[in-house]
Amino acid sequence: MRAALITGGTSGIGLAFARTLARKGHPLILVARDPERLAAVAADLGTAFGVGVETLVADLSVRHDVDRVAARLRAGDIDFLVNNAGFSLKTPLVGGDDDLADRAYEAMGRTPRVLAAAVAPAMVERGSGTIITVASVSALTRQDSYSALKAYTLAVSEVLAGELAGTGVTVTAVLPGWVRTAFHSHGGTKRSKVPAVLWLSPDQIATEALRDAARGRVVSVPSMRYKILATVLRLLPGGLMRSLSSKISGRRGARPAVEGDRA
């Protein structure tokens, strides 16, 4: 069985993907920045599921590191690519942290595109493979710089799915809502303000995303409540969408909170 490469695979949604795929017998290649945590998670997963676990230490906002991961993807032994790494981005477009915005684009915009382009040729040649990119249901809104970046990520996945249609390679963008990981707390989000019904678990995200990918779905929205929300968001006129997005963001001219690292 061929391997699954997962970026940001040591915690949160990425770790849930790793566990789910390891349970199915796939060897793993985990990509993250912290070498100690990578080693610990790799050992735990290898012991728990009896699969080989390879690690790559990389900061995916750094192009040299991305090039190393892309080179590994070209080896031809990978069935699954899960683009999951990222971080919360709450800096405004005007008067914000330009360096941070650039890092966010590199990690969550450019890197998924580059890694997908690296792994796709071998997948196409053998007629099978799965490329999954974790975006966000906020991609369907216009709340802030994060939603704008995730809208780009969603569009890239949809275009890539069109390019690879009929090759046997599936491309799926995953649009989770609020997920119980350290992602939001690291980003300064006040979790207590989010209704309990809106929270999902990382395992639910991974399970539903992999099921949708196996069915060839280009967009996966885990849970019925977020499916309904996504349908409503897609049907709203642009002007109403922008107005509601502004109210949801709660900015009303205020500077958003500073971002933090994603789990």
Side-chain angles (χ1 to χ4, degrees):
M1 189 172 289
R2 293 186 177 87
L5 187 146
I6 304 163
T7 68
T10 58
S11 61
I13 296 173
L15 180 55
F17 271 108
R19 287 173 176 155
T20 303
L21 288 165
R23 192 175 292 115
K24 296 175 183 292
H26 289 278
L28 301 175
I29 305 168
L30 304 181
V31 181
R33 295 180 302 173
D34 185 337
E36 293 182 0
R37 182 164 180 80
L38 264 174
V41 171
D44 288 346
L45 290 171
T47 299
F49 299 104
V51 299
V53 185
E54 181 181 339
T55 62
L56 286 173
V57 178
D59 181 341
L60 298 182
S61 67
V62 177
R63 293 193 178 191
H64 175 71
D65 284 9
V66 175
D67 289 344
R68 289 191 295 106
V69 179
R72 179 64 186 85
L73 286 165
R74 295 188 187 100
D77 61 340
I78 294 170
D79 264 344
F80 286 86
L81 165 63
V82 180
N83 286 308
N84 168 74
F87 52 86
S88 178
L89 180 67
K90 296 298 182 183
T91 190
L93 296 177
V94 178
D97 186 334
D98 286 342
D99 289 339
L100 174 65
D102 287 344
R103 281 202 301 115
Y105 167 72
E106 291 290 333
M108 295 183 282
R110 180 183 183 272
T111 291
R113 174 179 60 79
V114 170
L115 298 187
V119 78
M123 290 180 170
V124 170
E125 184 175 354
R126 68 172 177 268
S128 66
T130 302
I131 298 170
I132 294 173
T133 297
V134 178
S136 168
V137 74
S138 70
L140 305 178
T141 73
R142 297 297 177 262
Q143 295 181 61
D144 51 25
S145 50
Y146 182 78
S147 65
L149 181 54
K150 288 302 184 178
Y152 169 79
T153 303
L154 170 60
V156 168
S157 290
E158 291 178 309
V159 170
L160 183 60
E163 287 188 9
L164 299 182
T167 66
V169 180
T170 62
V171 180
T172 302
V174 185
L175 276 57
W178 292 89
V179 187
R180 293 191 182 280
T181 71
F183 176 74
H184 296 295
S185 59
H186 284 174
T189 302
K190 296 181 179 178
R191 297 164 64 106
S192 61
K193 292 184 178 181
V194 180
V197 71
L198 294 181
W199 290 101
L200 304 176
S201 72
D203 288 336
Q204 181 178 2
I205 302 300
T207 299
E208 293 197 28
L210 288 168
R211 184 181 63 203
D212 285 345
R215 293 171 176 172
R217 292 181 178 170
V218 176
V219 179
S220 172
V221 184
S223 86
M224 182 55 66
R225 51 193 177 277
Y226 278 109
K227 283 181 172 65
I228 294 171
L229 174 61
T231 299
V232 171
L233 290 172
R234 287 184 180 276
L235 292 174
L236 288 176
L240 180 56
M241 163 58 66
R242 291 188 291 274
S243 177
L244 289 175
S245 295
S246 180
K247 291 178 181 179
I248 291 170
S249 70
R251 285 180 299 166
R252 298 196 179 114
R255 186 185 183 96
V258 176
E259 82 304 326
D261 284 343
R262 177 195 223 165

